[in-house]
Amino acid sequence: MSDDPTNDETQHTLHPLKKIEIIVRGEKEPFVRDLLDESKVSGYTIHHNVTGRGEHGFHEGRLLFNDRDSLVMFFAVGGEETIQTIVDGLTPLFEKSSGVMFVSDTNVVRLDKFLQEE
């Protein structure tokens, strides 16, 4: 086995896509989940009980009796048009509620996992 990083056996094709990360209060989770379900993303990841500090102070991740006040983070990957549709759908939410979204360029190796089946 060679330690050469240019070895053809270790080379993978990287496919450019967009990644969106969304952080909202738990009470907004159904809205975001519905928006993502209606979009053309093939799937998404949800992290519950997110802890962090922002404009509204520190948010504790593990609230024992009220998960609607905890923070939820969503991750999704898709083509530029799909991610833009999600951003457009979230804009009215962020005009009325706290939360943030981040969109960035990313690369995936297994492109077939991120394309919506027809």
Side-chain angles (χ1 to χ4, degrees), residues 21-112:
E21 301 166 79
I22 306 157
I23 302 173
V24 294
R25 294 175 68 93
E27 65 189 15
K28 303 299 181 187
E29 179 182 346
F31 176 85
V32 177
R33 192 175 339 130
D34 288 347
L35 178 65
L36 292 172
D37 286 341
E38 292 171 9
S39 75
K40 294 181 180 178
V41 294
S42 62
Y44 50 88
T45 300
I46 303 173
H47 291 279
H48 290 97
N49 302 315
V50 175
T51 300
R53 184 180 168 285
E55 179 182 26
H56 295 98
F58 187 79
H59 293 273
E60 183 64 43
R62 298 208 179 264
L63 299 173
L64 293 177
F65 302 107
N66 189 353
D67 62 349
R68 293 175 58 84
D69 282 334
S70 67
L71 296 178
V72 179
M73 185 173 201
F74 294 81
F75 295 90
V77 173
E80 188 166 349
E81 185 176 314
T82 299
I83 299 301
Q84 185 62 54
T85 300
I86 295 168
V87 168
D88 293 344
L90 289 171
T91 298
L93 173 70
F94 290 132
E95 289 173 353
K96 299 176 183 173
S97 301
S98 63
V100 294
M101 66 178 141
F102 307 98
V103 176
S104 57
D105 293 325
T106 193
N107 291 290
V108 299
V109 174
R110 298 175 67 190
L111 184 60
D112 58 310

